[in-house]
């Protein structure tokens, strides 16, 4: 393992921004900035229940996950055409490139759109074209993960999988998101088993607001490879041991956790506890347009609030590449670039 050189705390924010990283937990609908919501509404001849961009942004005061989801699904209703999905993903990928994201695995919620009569191919083709263009125009690698909405039925998830079947070469995996409490992973056991047979990678949100039991069943029943959020694992020592031993990555989203009141203050976040217990935690933005920052803001703010070090920074970025669904060859190249960024930082330290 690379020995992380000493780096002064004054230089740490700059290093956090400059270091190469992967983003593994970003809902593309959660990257829709109010300005783009208004522009798409105008382009599509839709009216919004907010008078201005500022009025919409000022409605972003959340008390829990559900209070956010209500406004997030309303925002996504301006997306109608393939170009709308392309523009949304292009805007995110350009922003991610500025934050030195080399690779992004992007969640999307097809049922939010198909329920409004938007065909699934419109969604997937628009997002996929933006991912392909990001590789050539930005040098960013980007893939798609289709998420099932857990507040809807198993039948609806199966129907969505069937609609997506002709387009499966454009996605790398499936996930599970939306309202967690009251919708345990077991509800989707059969549809995840089918996705596994189809050779898709599997992830699920678990332990964001829900109990450690949901993390256990995401692992044992759904057989997921990563846990999205997972911060409630600290309440179950046996689970912590399992996650550490099996190097199951947690895609942690600090600003999301703060804005949805999972932790009262960012300084109370348990990211350091997860890392120090040997868990493969990563840092991600979740829904950056709603939670006050893209991935580098998540890094700099949680480090400033909790006093994490350069060693944690290296571990988080390394984990993000290691836990991705990219090829081993790509991972080695990115991890090499990560080491170089740390070495460069030391050369310039005084
Ligand atoms: N969909 C978008 N963001 C989410 C989150 N933080 N938890 C569950 N579902 C989501
Ligand atoms: Zn999420």
């Amino acid at each position: 393992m690379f020995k992380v050189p000493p780096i002064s705390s004054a230089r740490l924010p700059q290093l956090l921004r400059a270091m190469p990283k992967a983003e593994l937990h970003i809902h593309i609908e959660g990257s829709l900035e109010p300005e783009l919501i208004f522009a798409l509404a105008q382009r599509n001849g839709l009216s919004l229940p907010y008078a201005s961009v500022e009025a919409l942004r000022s409605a972003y005061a959340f008390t829990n996950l559900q209070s956010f989801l209500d406004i997030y699904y309303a925002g996504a209703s301006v997306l109608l055409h393939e170009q709308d999905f392309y523009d949304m993903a292009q805007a995110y990928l350009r922003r991610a490139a500025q934050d030195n994201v080399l690779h992004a695995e992007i969640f999307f919620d097809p049922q939010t759109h198909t329920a409004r009569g938007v065909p699934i191919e419109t969604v997937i083709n628009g997002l996929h074209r933006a991912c392909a263009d990001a590789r050539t125009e930005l040098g960013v690698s980007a893939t798609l993960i289709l998420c099932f909405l857990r507040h809807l039925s198993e039948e609806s998830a199966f129907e969505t999988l069937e609609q997506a079947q002709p387009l499966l070469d454009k996605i790398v995996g499936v996930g599970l998101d939306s309202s967690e409490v009251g919708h345990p992973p077991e509800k989707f056991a059969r549809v995840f088993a089918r996705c596994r047979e189809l050779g898709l990678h599997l992830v699920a949100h678990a332990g964001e607001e829900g109990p450690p039991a949901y993390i256990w069943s995401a692992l044992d029943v759904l057989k997921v490879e990563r846990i999205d959020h997972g911060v409630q694992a600290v309440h179950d020592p046996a689970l912590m041991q399992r996650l550490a031993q099996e190097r199951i990555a947690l895609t942690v989203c600090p600003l999301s956790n703060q804005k949805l009141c999972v932790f009262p203050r960012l300084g109370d976040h348990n990211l350091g506890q997860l890392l120090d217990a040997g868990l493969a935690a990563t840092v991600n933005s979740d829904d950056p347009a709603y939670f006050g920052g893209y991935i580098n803001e998540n890094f700099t703010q949680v480090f400033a609030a909790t006093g994490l070090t350069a060693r944690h920074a290296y571990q988080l970025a390394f984990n993000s590449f290691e836990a991705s669904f990219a090829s081993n060859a790509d991972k080695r190249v990115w991890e090499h670039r990560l080491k170089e960024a740390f070495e460069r930082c030391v050369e310039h330290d005084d």
Side-chain angles (χ1 to χ4, degrees), residues 101-347:
V101 169
L102 303 186
H103 175 69
E105 297 184 358
I106 298 175
F107 295 152
F108 67 104
D109 290 339
Q111 288 151 297
T112 302
H113 313 298
T114 54
R116 299 179 291 108
V118 178
I120 200 165
E121 52 272 20
T122 299
V123 180
I124 295 180
N125 288 338
L127 298 177
H128 184 260
R129 189 158 55 86
C131 291
D133 287 352
R135 187 178 283 278
T136 51
E137 289 167 17
L138 303 167
V140 172
S141 148
T143 55
L144 297 172
I145 294 179
L146 179 160
C147 286
F148 300 113
L149 297 180
R150 68 202 302 159
H151 69 273
L152 300 180
S153 64
E154 180 199 41
E155 187 191 357
S156 173
F158 266 118
E159 196 184 321
T160 303
L161 179 60
E162 199 169 303
Q163 292 164 354
Q165 204 103 351
L167 301 151
L168 289 188
D169 59 326
K170 294 182 175 159
I171 70 171
V172 293
V174 298
L176 186 64
D177 65 2
S178 191
S179 323
E180 184 182 11
V181 174
H183 301 283
E186 293 89 314
K187 186 175 161 184
F188 298 95
R190 289 185 295 193
V191 74
F192 268 63
R194 179 72 190 122
C195 291
R196 194 157 173 254
E197 283 171 2
L198 290 168
L200 292 163
H201 286 291
L202 308 178
V203 299
H205 284 53
E208 178 184 14
E209 288 182 341
Y214 284 19
I215 302 177
W216 283 108
S217 52
L219 296 173
D220 292 334
V221 180
L222 301 187
K223 304 196 184 303
V224 301
E225 297 157 83
R226 299 193 302 244
I227 296 289
D228 297 313
H229 294 291
V231 292
Q232 302 302 334
V234 295
H235 303 297
D236 182 337
L239 177 59
M240 290 287 279
Q241 212 166 34
R242 162 122 187 241
L243 293 167
Q245 237 154 37
E246 298 185 14
R247 296 295 293 163
I248 293 159
L250 302 188
T251 62
V252 176
C253 306
L255 290 178
S256 164
N257 293 155
Q258 181 198 13
K259 293 296 187 313
L260 301 187
C261 308
V262 172
F263 296 95
R265 296 174 316 121
L266 197 56
D268 299 321
H269 201 286
N270 63 15
L271 179 62
Q273 187 184 347
L274 296 169
L275 287 170
D276 292 344
L279 273 68
T282 63
V283 163
N284 307 270
S285 67
D286 206 7
D287 300 284
Y290 292 89
F291 299 148
Y294 287 77
I295 192 167
N296 279 359
E297 275 302 307
N298 274 272
F299 270 105
T300 53
Q301 289 197 33
V302 77
F303 270 64
T306 63
L308 298 177
T309 64
R311 191 176 50 78
H312 292 115
Y314 180 84
Q315 191 66 58
L316 286 162
F318 181 87
N319 291 346
S320 75
F321 296 131
E322 210 48 37
S324 75
F325 298 136
S327 70
N328 284 334
D330 280 344
K331 291 181 188 185
R332 296 299 89 78
V333 170
W334 297 332
E335 288 161 9
H336 182 72
R337 286 178 63 178
L338 175 63
K339 277 184 203 155
E340 286 179 336
F342 272 69
E343 283 160 358
R344 239 188 342 266
C345 185
V346 176
E347 280 164 28

Side-chain angles (χ1 to χ4, degrees), residues 6 83 86 100 130 142 246 281 311 328 350:
Q83 191 61 37
Y86 179 91
N100 294 301
E246 298 185 14
R311 191 176 50 78
N328 284 334
D350 22 62

